[in-house]
Amino acid sequence: MIEIENVTHRIAGRTILSDVSLELEKGGIVALVGPNGAGKSTLLSLVARLLPLQSGGIQVDGLRIGVAADDVLARTLAILPQELNVASRLTVRDLVGFGRYPYHKGRPTSEDTALVAHALTLFDLDDLAERQLETLSGGQRQRAFVAMAYVQDTEYLLLDEPLNNLDIGTSRALMEQLRNLAETRNRTIVIVLHDINYAAAYADRIVALKAGQVVADGPPDQVVDDGLLRRVFGTDARVSLIDGRPVVLV
Amino acid sequence: MNAWLGLIALAVLASLSLFVGVIDVWQADRHEVWSLIRDSRFPRTVATVLTGASLAIAGQIMQQIARNRFVEPMTAGTGQSAALGILLTAMLFPAASVGLKMVLASLAALGGSLVFFAIVRKLPPTQPLLVPLVGLIYGGVVGAGVTYVAYQADMLQFIGIWMNGEFSGTLRGRYELLWLAGLAAGLSYLVADQLSIIGLGEAVSLNLGLNYRQVVFLGLIVISVVTGLTVVTVGMIPFVGLVVPNLVSQIAGDNLRRSLPLTAMLGAALVLAADIVGRLVIYPFEMPVGTVIGIFGAVAFLWLLYGGARLAR
């Protein structure tokens, strides 16, 4: 379980998050949605200890962020950050292999190698395995980084806008894989999404943030409606039910 | 394959280095040749190899830390800071031992690099070319400071030795510190994975449970020790740390576990070749290796800046 208690965060005098408390139970996909600047990425970065906590507390499976050892956390929680190095000349296989670093600390075993090979196949990267990252398209590179987070084999997986740069086919394939991880292996996936329709289609729970506060929280069919779009995003889009699932008509 | 070719090229250059010089080893008397090789040619060859290899590795580490392919210690203020350290040591403690000089030069180099990285951190990541430009200016400012202090203290001739590296003064008993530089550079192979990971950025490093600051600091220590010792023993040799890692990255990629040995080999070969050219071009006089590499390196740097802008991170 991820427990976020009274987290407030300021950057350069501006309040990004104000007194956010949230409990994310184990298993399933939680989508964080909200307009630009709502604090979604900041919240995710705080949970992943990429930013130092200013006030409040966060615990992941009882491990207190800011106190727990980095390598223990690295085996509990993985994050796919938003800004990734695009010009690296690492090969895809090397990059994905570094996902096992928290376990082997520089000395990969045959088990690590096998897991990496499995991940390459799972994310359809076999043909690209020996290519260098800088030669890949944005979408291919994104897939390589997701595969890296996947082999980290953590209970919790945080993804910051993973669908950026992806076309509809790859976006859906990625979300299916995450769905599969959540269902068959009871993994907890927290994902920042811009597209409400993807959130409604694949998430078990949607948490909407606006101006650093949680303004809506619940399963997609209870949260996503005309009112949410008006209050949170300030737009008049209509929401219609298709096959029992809310769909935003853009 | 690449590795074997590199080793052979290195062996050829090293043997050439033993035979090139004012005294012709085929004509001279046998006893004289032996002492010539033992006291001068062999130390010079070893010094050249150690310097080239460790400077190239230091450059590669610096590029990983800065996440920018256009920086290297000798042009971004580390080398100039080391020279400043030696100058101040010579002024304040004229009787300082070589060991103390070495420590103070390395500390000054470390301080210089920390300041450089503190400045560079504030630059916008969308402008990768600003990093080397700021480095060149910063290095220039520190270098000017060195010249000013030396001028005031009437020690200008003294600093010439450190500001433009050369191997003509390398004799048995006067180059052995470079083994330490080689050792420091070699030890970085133990943390090759960690150095590769920090090249992916702080977020990815933290995610993998890596102590980012610790690895960066370790890298900076290697850079500073290598730079400090090189400047103390042979003087500043620019561009090796810039050109070699760039070439190696293109040939062998960015996984340091694979590329560091190649970097060391190519760095050694480059400095050996430049030293041999320097010994031959105005024979029987010598041109400092720093000048030879400066000419070659400046051209290569321009090529990287213009033709290679897409290589920037």
Side-chain angles (χ1 to χ4, degrees):
Chain A
M1 186 157 80
I2 300 178
E3 294 158 274
I4 300 167
E5 287 162 14
N6 309 108
V7 166
T8 297
H9 198 83
R10 290 191 185 80
I11 296 174
R14 243 185 83 230
T15 304
I16 309 292
L17 292 171
S18 79
D19 200 26
V20 173
S21 293
L22 209 53
E23 282 196 357
L24 307 175
E25 62 280 5
K26 211 165 186 155
I29 298 183
V30 179
L32 292 179
V33 302
N36 296 329
K40 308 172 299 267
S41 292
T42 305
L43 186 60
L44 211 63
S45 300
L46 286 169
V47 175
R49 74 198 181 291
L50 301 186
L51 288 173
L53 212 50
Q54 292 174 347
S55 73
I58 298 175
Q59 287 190 56
V60 179
D61 265 358
L63 297 169
R64 190 161 277 282
I65 301 295
V67 178
D70 270 333
D71 58 334
V72 177
L73 277 170
R75 293 189 290 259
T76 309
L77 163 156
I79 184 168
L80 176 76
Q82 204 179 115
E83 282 165 22
L84 297 164
N85 182 358
V86 295
S88 174
R89 294 208 187 98
L90 282 175
T91 62
V92 171
R93 188 185 300 281
D94 285 341
L95 179 82
V96 177
F98 282 139
R100 296 300 297 167
Y101 179 82
Y103 300 88
H104 65 60
K105 301 283 167 72
R107 284 180 209 83
T109 63
S110 53
E111 191 201 343
D112 293 316
T113 320
L115 278 166
V116 170
H118 170 68
L120 289 173
T121 309
L122 188 66
F123 287 90
D124 199 17
L125 291 165
D126 280 317
D127 295 339
L128 305 173
E130 308 309 327
R131 289 262 299 273
Q132 294 178 350
L133 290 179
E134 70 164 4
T135 66
L136 303 181
S137 73
Q140 293 168 328
R141 202 178 296 132
Q142 186 83 346
R143 265 190 358 247
F145 275 100
V146 174
M148 177 191 187
Y150 171 81
V151 297
Q152 222 177 314
D153 196 24
T154 53
E155 286 295 333
Y156 298 87
L157 182 56
L158 315 179
L159 303 112
D160 198 350
E161 301 193 19
L163 304 186
N164 279 357
N165 300 320
L166 298 190
D167 59 40
I168 182 164
T170 20
S171 294
R172 292 188 68 237
L174 175 59
M175 292 310 292
E176 293 289 349
Q177 264 151 4
L178 295 177
R179 201 58 254 165
N180 190 30
L181 265 181
E183 274 163 22
T184 61
R185 304 177 67 178
N186 199 35
R187 294 296 158 85
T188 313
I189 294 158
V190 186
I191 182 169
V192 172
L193 286 176
H194 260 301
D195 192 326
I196 308 285
N197 285 334
Y198 276 96
Y202 294 99
D204 299 297
R205 178 176 167 191
I206 291 181
V207 175
L209 284 139
K210 188 187 182 184
Q213 286 176 313
V214 176
V215 289
D217 183 357
D221 52 352
Q222 289 173 25
V223 171
V224 178
D225 55 23
D226 297 8
L228 177 91
L229 289 162
R230 205 173 316 111
R231 276 184 296 119
V232 178
F233 293 91
T235 184
D236 284 332
R238 275 199 307 130
V239 174
S240 163
L241 275 182
I242 299 177
D243 296 345
R245 180 209 294 170
V247 174
V248 180
L249 304 174
V250 287
Chain B
M1 175 66 184
N2 275 337
W4 286 113
L5 274 180
L7 276 179
I8 292 168
L10 200 55
V12 169
L13 285 168
S15 343
L16 262 180
S17 168
L18 289 177
F19 292 110
V20 171
V22 174
I23 299 172
D24 185 344
V25 292
W26 306 115
Q27 304 291 324
D29 132 292
R30 177 167 294 205
H31 185 72
E32 199 181 319
V33 168
W34 166 240
S35 67
L36 169 75
I37 299 243
R38 184 193 55 188
D39 294 335
S40 168
R41 297 272 173 87
F42 179 72
R44 181 170 189 159
T45 305
V46 173
T48 319
V49 168
L50 286 172
T51 306
S54 48
L55 281 183
I57 288 178
Q60 190 158 31
I61 296 175
M62 192 153 187
Q63 290 170 18
Q64 286 296 117
I65 296 176
R67 299 176 69 200
N68 190 298
R69 294 192 197 280
F70 297 135
V71 293
E72 63 120 352
M74 292 292 176
T75 44
T78 311
Q80 289 82 354
S81 302
L84 187 63
I86 306 170
L87 179 63
L88 293 178
T89 311
M91 286 168 59
L92 301 175
F93 318 103
S97 66
V98 178
L100 182 64
K101 264 191 211 157
M102 169 190 109
V103 171
L104 292 177
S106 300
L107 280 178
L110 183 62
S113 331
L114 286 173
V115 171
F116 170 69
F117 279 105
I119 299 173
V120 162
R121 258 185 102 88
K122 303 222 186 301
L123 295 176
T126 46
Q127 301 275 345
L129 290 183
L130 275 183
V131 176
L133 290 179
V134 166
L136 284 173
I137 294 167
Y138 172 64
V141 169
V142 179
V146 173
T147 311
Y148 175 76
V149 173
Y151 178 75
Q152 293 293 324
D154 207 8
M155 290 174 86
L156 268 182
Q157 279 190 318
F158 207 39
I159 63 161
I161 305 167
W162 307 313
M163 298 299 262
N164 198 356
E166 56 154 347
F167 291 100
S168 63
T170 312
L171 294 171
R172 190 160 67 107
R174 296 243 302 257
Y175 80 100
E176 283 77 0
L177 277 179
L178 288 173
W179 282 107
L180 278 179
L183 182 71
L187 284 178
S188 65
Y189 190 70
L190 295 177
V191 287
D193 280 353
Q194 284 87 332
L195 290 169
S196 305
I197 291 173
I198 61 167
L200 289 165
E202 194 168 355
V204 173
S205 309
L206 279 171
N207 170 49
L208 294 176
L210 201 67
N211 191 331
Y212 181 79
R213 282 164 180 274
Q214 202 179 348
V215 178
V216 165
F217 196 68
L218 215 67
L220 284 179
I221 287 179
V222 172
I223 294 169
S224 307
V225 167
V226 167
T227 310
L229 293 185
T230 315
V231 176
V232 167
T233 25
V234 295
M236 284 174 51
I237 301 178
F239 295 116
V240 181
L242 180 79
V243 177
V244 173
N246 270 286
L247 275 175
V248 170
S249 168
Q250 292 198 352
I251 301 169
D254 282 342
N255 188 342
L256 266 58
R257 176 82 49 205
R258 270 200 294 278
S259 64
L260 271 180
L262 199 60
T263 304
M265 249 179 338
L266 244 148
L270 173 65
V271 177
L272 260 176
D275 185 50
I276 293 170
V277 168
R279 276 188 261 173
L280 291 174
V281 80
I282 46 170
Y283 187 86
F285 304 103
E286 287 200 17
M287 189 184 267
V289 71
T291 310
V292 177
I293 293 189
I295 295 166
F296 165 72
V299 175
F301 189 57
L302 285 175
W303 173 74
L304 281 173
L305 273 180
Y306 287 100
R310 68 197 159 78
L311 310 176
R313 295 193 173 187

